[in-house]
Amino acid sequence: AQKITQTQPGMFVQEKEAVTLDCTYDTSDQSYGLFWYKQPSSGEMIFLIYQGSYDEQNATEGRYSLNFQKARKSANLVISASQLGDSAMYFCAMREERGSGSARQLTFGSGTQLTVLP
Amino acid sequence: DGGITQSPKYLFRKEGQNVTLSCEQNLNHDAMYWYRQDPGQGLRLIYYSQIVNDFQKGDIAEGYSVSREKKESFPLTVTSAQKNPTAFYLCASSKWTSGRENIQYFGAGTRLSVL
């Protein structure tokens, strides 16, 4: 069974600084995808970034990058030049890519609450 | 604008009552999902549907029911059998494929409380 662990319940960062949010995962599959979502206080889940297990390069999307270390089974999110609007809950999620049906489900971690300080 | 619309934003349920949460998408996605989120926790899958007239139980389906009569719509009914329904409910949709083509996009959620 797949499992996602986010060990930082809360993080603080100064505006304009970079911050890393940790995520480790557990799976026996070779083919899987890793996702990060942002959930502001309004509640909507916003997709940020995707990393495939066979991708050779770390994923980047604007100020977001994913530090993917396959051997360590970690997929940390790096936010550069933090902004006040980055204050939100951040969730790491994983999907095993084998077959179909239940294999397409996302499994979420418990989240990290990021607060950006002015 | 393409997106996912959930209604109502807030819902109150009386004891013994069934309530239905609406989810509509105009992204032409095949797959739709319902998640439950409790305070301070991640999302747990209730039901998902790959195609019209077909749906599968997720990890916490007991006390819930769904239907998928149209591609655009995937309503969730919280039945009286669900003894602890107070939570935030999120609907999502995606293409039914693998890799980076399959990204789940979410609605704004419905907050359900018990009176």
Side-chain angles (χ1 to χ4, degrees):
Chain A
Q2 51 191 341
K3 184 178 179 182
I4 296 285
T5 302
Q6 294 180 254
T7 58
Q8 306 156 313
M11 288 281 287
F12 292 88
V13 64
Q14 209 67 39
E15 193 178 8
K16 300 180 185 177
E17 297 290 317
V19 63
T20 298
L21 306 183
D22 294 342
C23 172
T24 59
Y25 59 91
D26 187 23
T27 180
S28 56
D29 279 20
Q30 297 301 310
S31 181
Y32 51 89
L34 295 155
F35 304 77
W36 278 91
Y37 284 86
K38 172 184 178 180
Q39 187 178 41
S41 57
S42 59
E44 184 174 356
M45 296 284 283
I46 302 167
F47 167 72
L48 296 178
I49 196 166
Y50 167 87
Q51 177 84 41
S53 59
Y54 290 115
D55 292 344
E56 294 184 353
Q57 306 267 2
N58 284 346
T60 60
E61 292 285 348
R63 294 187 299 111
Y64 304 108
S65 61
L66 204 151
N67 183 1
F68 180 46
Q69 298 188 46
K70 196 170 181 178
R72 294 186 176 186
K73 293 188 174 178
S74 74
N76 298 339
L77 177 71
V78 180
I79 305 174
S80 63
S82 297
Q83 301 172 357
L84 294 178
D86 292 336
S87 293
M89 195 77 162
Y90 288 81
F91 290 95
C92 180
M94 185 177 76
R95 181 184 66 225
E96 292 168 345
E97 303 288 22
R98 57 175 165 79
S100 62
S102 62
R104 299 284 166 85
Q105 293 183 35
L106 278 179
T107 297
F108 286 84
S110 56
T112 296
Q113 179 67 48
L114 177 66
T115 302
V116 180
L117 303 171
Chain B
D1 287 337
I4 300 168
T5 302
Q6 288 188 241
S7 63
K9 190 171 182 179
Y10 299 96
L11 186 58
F12 298 91
R13 192 191 90 167
K14 294 180 181 178
E15 195 169 336
Q17 186 182 42
N18 293 352
V19 293
T20 297
L21 285 60
S22 170
C23 179
E24 303 275 334
Q25 56 98 359
N26 60 4
L27 299 169
N28 198 31
H29 285 163
D30 292 312
M32 297 187 74
Y33 312 78
W34 274 106
Y35 292 90
R36 169 179 171 141
Q37 185 179 27
D38 292 289
Q41 298 187 27
L43 279 64
R44 292 183 291 167
L45 184 66
I46 304 173
Y47 269 99
Y48 68 97
S49 169
Q50 183 179 345
I51 56 172
V52 173
N53 292 323
D54 184 63
F55 46 83
Q56 304 296 327
K57 292 181 179 180
D59 300 322
I60 55 165
E62 186 174 351
Y64 300 98
S65 66
V66 293
S67 62
R68 186 89 185 276
E69 297 176 1
K70 298 188 301 181
K71 186 175 183 178
E72 302 79 16
S73 179
F74 191 40
L76 173 74
T77 297
V78 183
T79 74
S80 57
Q82 172 50 245
K83 298 307 179 187
N84 184 22
T86 297
F88 188 54
Y89 291 87
L90 285 156
C91 177
S93 72
S94 74
K95 296 180 181 179
W96 189 256
T97 180
S98 59
R100 61 183 68 254
E101 293 300 311
N102 183 345
I103 303 295
Q104 290 189 23
Y105 295 97
F106 286 80
T110 293
R111 201 166 296 277
L112 175 63
S113 301
V114 176
L115 292 176

